[in-house]
Amino acid sequence: MPINVILPTDSEPSWRESALCAQTGPEFFFPEPGSSTREAKQLCGACDMRAACLEYALTHDERFGVWGGLSEKERYTLRRARS
C-alpha cells in the first residue's frame, strides 16, 4: 500500500506555521495606505522565519503588505538591485 505524503504547497508554505505573524491578524501586515508599518517590521525583525518569508514574497512577486520585514517599496527596490 503506497504512503501518501503531503507536501506544503506554495499557497501554504510550511514556514508560516512557525512565523510570528501567524499569531496576529492580517491587518497588522496589510495596513491601510499611509498607515505605519513600523510595528509589523518590528515583529518581523524578531521572527526566525523572516528570511523564508522574504524569499517567498520576492519569488511570488507579492506586491502588498509587509513580508520578511520589508514594505512593498522596499521589496521593489531589492528586486531591482538583484536584477
Side-chain angles (χ1 to χ4, degrees):
M1 178 177 218
I3 298 173
N4 291 330
V5 177
I6 300 174
L7 298 174
T9 64
D10 283 343
S11 62
E12 294 185 30
S14 61
W15 56 263
R16 281 190 175 170
E17 296 171 10
S18 301
L20 293 177
C21 61
Q23 301 168 25
T24 64
E27 67 280 350
F28 195 64
F29 295 91
F30 296 91
E32 292 294 320
S35 297
S36 175
T37 58
R38 185 177 339 156
E39 292 174 341
K41 288 179 177 185
Q42 286 175 341
L43 189 61
C44 290
C47 184
D48 292 337
M49 299 296 114
R50 180 179 177 271
C53 177
L54 179 57
E55 195 56 43
Y56 175 87
L58 294 171
T59 300
H60 292 88
D61 198 24
E62 292 289 345
R63 297 193 182 197
F64 302 101
V66 174
W67 289 81
L70 299 181
S71 68
E72 300 97 336
K73 189 178 265 188
E74 292 165 330
R75 288 192 310 279
Y76 176 77
T77 302
L78 181 59
R79 262 191 232 100
R80 288 190 61 180
R82 284 184 167 187
S83 299

